[in-house]
Amino acid sequence: MPSQHEAPPPAEADPAPPLRRSRGSNVVGGVCGGLGRHFDLDPVIFRVVIGVLAVAGGLGLVFYGFAWLLIPLAGEEESEGRRLLMGRVSGASLAALLMALIGCGIFLSTLHSGGVLGFTLTLSLAVCGAAVWSQRRRAGGETEGGSDTVTVPAAAQAPPETKAPPLYESPSWWRDPIVKDGSTGKLAIGYLWGPHGILDEDGTVNGEVPKPGSQWGPDPTVSGRPTPSIRRSPLSIGGLVFLLALLAGGLGTGLTWDTHPLGTSLQIGLAAALAVFGLGLVVSSFLGRTGFGTVFLTVVTAGLLALASALPERISTEWVRETWRPASVAAVQPDYGLGTGVGTLDLSRFPLPAGSTVATRASVGAGRLEVIVPKGAVVKLHAQVGLGDLQLPGAPAGDIDIAPDRDVTRTLTPPAGTTPAGTLDLSLEVGLGQVEVTRAAS
C-alpha cells in the first residue's frame, strides 16, 4: 500500500496563454498588457522598459510598433500587419507603422553612440531573462509544505471549452447510395443549396407536385426570400497614390536642384513623396484600399530619406573640374574647396625654401581630390575620407581599397638623394570619393 505521506503524482501545468494584445489592460495598443499576461509579469514592467528604450535610442518605439503590427488582438486571429498587407488600412495599423518608422529614424541617428547601444542591449537582455524566468516559474509551480515537497499545477484545471453543436450535414450526390432505374423504392432528394424531400413513385415530392424549373427547391418567386446582396470591393487607390508621390518627389527635387546642395534637394523631394504616401494611407483607412506595394514604397522612401539626411552638406548638384596652382608661397590660400567633381591642388610650381612651413587645407564633397607636392618637401599629412580610397606616395598603382571613415595622420619624407626643401602641412578631406597624394617628378 502506498505510504500515507506519499506525494500525489504531479499534475500537468497549465500552458502559457497565447501571445495576444490585451483588450482590457491597454494604454496604447495593448502590447504590454498582452506581454504581461503571456509571461506572468506586471505589464507596468514592460511599459517602463519600453518607455526607457524609446527615449534612449528609439529601440522601444521600433519594438512596440512592430509588435503592434504582428501580434493579433485577443479574440482575433488576424494581425494589423496582415490587414495592412492586404490593403485594409486602419487607424491602428497607421499608428503602429508610424511609431516603427520614427523609432527606426531615432535608432539610426544613434548608431555612432556606443554607450547608448550598450545600455539598450543590456536592458533588453535583462527584461528577456526576467520574462523567461517568470514563464518557467509558472510552468514549474512547486510549493513546499512541512517536510514534504508537493508539486501542484500552476493554475486549476479549467473546464472543457464549450463548443458549438455540429452543423447539420445535408445529403449529397457523392455520399448517398445510387438508386438504379426501375427501382420501386423512394429516392431521397437532397441538394447542398436547397431543402430535402422524398421523390415518390408518382413523381411528387413530399406529396406535392414540384413546379417546373424548381429542381425540387424553393420557388424563387416566393415573397420573403432574402435577395442576395452584391458586395462591391473597395476602390483601389494604390496606383493613384504612387503617381502622385512620384510627381511630388520629382517636383520637390527638381525645383531645388540648382539652389540647394544635393542632400537637401533629395530630402525635400523624398519628404514630399513620403507625405503623399502617408496621406494616401490615411485616406485609404476611410475610403478605398491600397496594396502591399504602397506600404513597401512608404518604408523604402523613409529609408532613402534617412540616407539623404546623412549626406554631407558640401556635396553640390553640379559636377565640375577645377585646378589650383599657386605660383608662390604667398599665393597659397588657407582653404580650397569643391562641392562635387575633381579638384587638383598643384603645389609643385613654387619654390619651398628649406626651413619654411606652409599650411593649407583642401576638401571635396564628392569626387576626387589630387594633391601634387614638391619632390624634396616634408609633408605632414592629415587625410579624412568618409567613404572611399586613399592613395599615398609609394603605394602600388591601381591598389584601390574602399572603406568607410578613413582617418590617416602621417609624415611623408622625401626620397633619398633629393634636395631638401621646406615643410607642407596638409589637411585633406573628401566626403565620398578618393584622395590621392603624389610627388612631382622634379
Side-chain angles (χ1 to χ4, degrees):
M1 295 181 60
S3 174
Q4 191 174 8
H5 298 283
E6 184 177 355
E12 184 179 357
D14 268 355
L19 182 58
R20 293 290 187 271
R21 290 187 290 115
S22 175
R23 288 182 178 271
S25 177
N26 62 334
V27 177
V28 179
V31 174
C32 295
L35 291 175
R37 180 174 179 269
H38 181 73
F39 292 105
D40 195 22
L41 285 175
D42 193 339
V44 177
I45 298 177
F46 292 100
R47 294 189 181 109
V48 172
V49 171
I50 290 178
V52 173
L53 293 179
V55 175
L59 196 60
L61 295 177
V62 177
F63 171 79
Y64 200 95
F66 282 107
W68 195 351
L69 287 174
L70 299 178
I71 301 176
L73 190 63
E76 298 182 1
E77 295 297 330
E78 193 174 32
S79 63
E80 295 291 341
R82 181 176 177 83
R83 295 191 184 98
L84 192 62
L85 296 180
M86 298 299 293
R88 292 174 292 173
V89 184
S90 62
S93 59
L94 283 180
L97 183 62
L98 181 61
M99 183 179 295
L101 290 177
I102 294 175
C104 289
I106 299 176
F107 180 72
L108 291 176
S109 64
T110 59
L111 284 179
H112 297 288
S113 178
V116 174
L117 290 179
F119 169 75
T120 56
L121 182 61
T122 303
L123 184 59
S124 302
L125 291 177
V127 175
C128 291
V132 173
W133 172 81
S134 177
Q135 194 175 38
R136 290 188 175 182
R137 175 181 58 85
R138 178 175 60 182
E142 292 186 355
T143 60
E144 294 187 1
S147 59
D148 296 333
T149 300
V150 181
T151 303
V152 296
Q157 294 291 333
E161 182 181 0
T162 305
K163 297 183 179 180
L167 298 177
Y168 173 73
E169 296 184 358
S170 58
S172 176
W173 59 270
W174 65 81
R175 288 199 305 264
D176 294 338
I178 300 177
V179 180
K180 297 182 180 180
D181 295 336
S183 172
T184 57
K186 297 183 178 181
L187 177 61
I189 304 297
Y191 290 89
L192 293 177
W193 59 86
H196 311 287
I198 302 299
L199 181 62
D200 298 322
E201 297 179 2
D202 56 356
T204 61
V205 177
N206 293 336
E208 299 181 358
V209 179
K211 295 183 179 181
S214 64
Q215 297 295 323
W216 300 289
D219 187 0
T221 61
V222 175
S223 60
R225 183 182 180 185
T227 304
S229 59
I230 301 177
R231 183 179 181 182
R232 297 182 179 179
S233 59
L235 178 64
S236 177
I237 61 175
L240 180 60
V241 171
F242 172 72
L243 292 178
L244 292 178
L246 191 62
L247 179 62
L251 286 176
T253 303
L255 294 176
T256 58
W257 186 261
D258 296 330
T259 57
H260 292 75
L262 177 62
T264 305
S265 179
L266 292 178
Q267 290 176 45
I268 294 174
L270 291 171
L274 188 62
V276 173
F277 279 128
L279 183 61
L281 291 175
V282 172
V283 172
S284 64
S285 63
F286 298 98
L287 174 66
R289 60 177 295 176
T290 58
F292 171 72
T294 303
V295 180
F296 176 75
L297 290 176
T298 303
V299 177
V300 170
T301 305
L304 293 177
L305 181 58
L307 293 178
S309 63
L311 291 177
E313 294 184 357
R314 60 181 178 271
I315 299 179
S316 62
T317 57
E318 183 180 2
W319 183 275
V320 296
R321 292 178 177 270
E322 189 168 351
T323 302
W324 306 286
R325 291 190 179 95
S328 62
V329 174
V332 177
Q333 299 179 10
D335 194 0
Y336 296 92
L338 184 65
T340 304
V342 179
T344 303
L345 177 59
D346 190 354
L347 301 176
S348 63
R349 297 298 183 92
F350 64 88
L352 186 62
S356 63
T357 301
V358 177
T360 185
R361 178 180 181 274
S363 63
V364 173
R368 184 168 179 263
L369 175 60
E370 181 181 2
V371 180
I372 305 174
V373 299
K375 185 176 181 180
V378 177
V379 181
K380 294 182 178 180
L381 177 68
H382 180 211
Q384 292 180 326
V385 182
L387 177 62
D389 179 46
L390 176 62
Q391 292 285 330
L392 298 179
D399 183 16
I400 298 178
D401 183 16
I402 299 177
D405 296 332
R406 302 180 71 104
D407 193 341
V408 176
T409 300
R410 189 174 301 177
T411 300
L412 306 177
T413 57
T418 59
T419 304
T423 302
L424 281 176
D425 191 353
L426 298 180
S427 179
L428 310 178
E429 184 178 357
V430 170
L432 180 63
Q434 183 187 48
V435 173
E436 182 179 4
V437 179
T438 59
R439 285 191 179 273
S442 60

